[in-house]
Amino acid sequence: MSVVSPAWEQATPMYGPYVDGIRLRVDRVDVRQDDDEHTLILGADGVHVMLIRLRYDGWVDEVINSAGSAAPGPGAWTLIDRELSLEFGERAAAALGFPRDCRLHFDVDEEAIRRVRAALLEILDCACFVVDTAEGRITS
């Protein structure tokens, strides 16, 4: 029986000023929406890295790690090219086991990036953001 390490154990360190995080690789994107919620599922090597979800009951956004721990969504995020940065509060980062500056690199096609962008704009619309679109860069 082989054991596959979770994606965060295979993370690439980020270097530079003010970077307290690691870069997680994402090679699978799934978006699900029903009457109760809208969920963006990010995975790597067959393992869920994180779920970013908006529950319509109360309009609550949250992030769920691979162990099933949930915390409030990020206060700010950026999606530029294939790099997503999520800025978590101290309590949320601790509850999820992610760094406060959580960075993800998408190893997916352009259609998947488009789905990620659309889902994040709906799910995290209350957070501050910077995102590249076909029309140019937009900010909140």
Side-chain angles (χ1 to χ4, degrees):
M1 177 168 110
S2 68
V3 176
V4 177
S5 296
W8 61 86
E9 290 180 6
Q10 301 171 11
T12 304
M14 296 291 288
Y15 300 101
Y18 311 111
V19 175
D20 70 348
I22 55 176
R23 186 173 70 173
L24 306 173
R25 186 179 69 81
V26 173
D27 63 16
R28 184 177 52 81
V29 171
D30 190 17
V31 178
R32 297 183 185 161
Q33 188 170 13
D34 59 29
D35 292 339
D36 298 323
E37 61 189 44
H38 190 166
T39 305
L40 173 62
I41 303 164
L42 306 176
D45 299 322
V47 176
H48 287 263
V49 173
M50 75 172 59
L51 283 71
I52 303 172
R53 175 171 69 186
L54 171 64
R55 288 185 290 132
Y56 296 130
D57 181 25
W59 291 94
V60 175
D61 61 80
E62 61 189 355
V63 174
I64 303 162
N65 68 11
S66 61
S69 297
W77 61 277
T78 62
L79 178 60
I80 299 174
D81 294 324
R82 297 181 178 277
E83 303 291 326
L84 173 64
S85 175
L86 303 169
E87 295 179 24
F88 292 109
E90 196 170 318
R91 287 184 181 163
L96 295 167
F98 292 137
R100 290 192 64 196
D101 178 20
C102 185
R103 296 177 183 229
L104 299 100
H105 173 78
F106 290 97
D107 188 15
V108 297
D109 63 20
E110 287 301 317
E111 174 60 22
I113 294 293
R114 186 194 64 72
R115 290 193 327 264
V116 167
R117 181 184 308 115
L120 288 172
L121 285 169
E122 182 171 336
I123 294 169
L124 299 176
D125 74 330
C126 292
C128 297
F129 64 85
V130 176
V131 63
D132 279 344
T133 69
E135 294 78 26
R137 187 165 288 175
I138 59 173
T139 62
S140 64

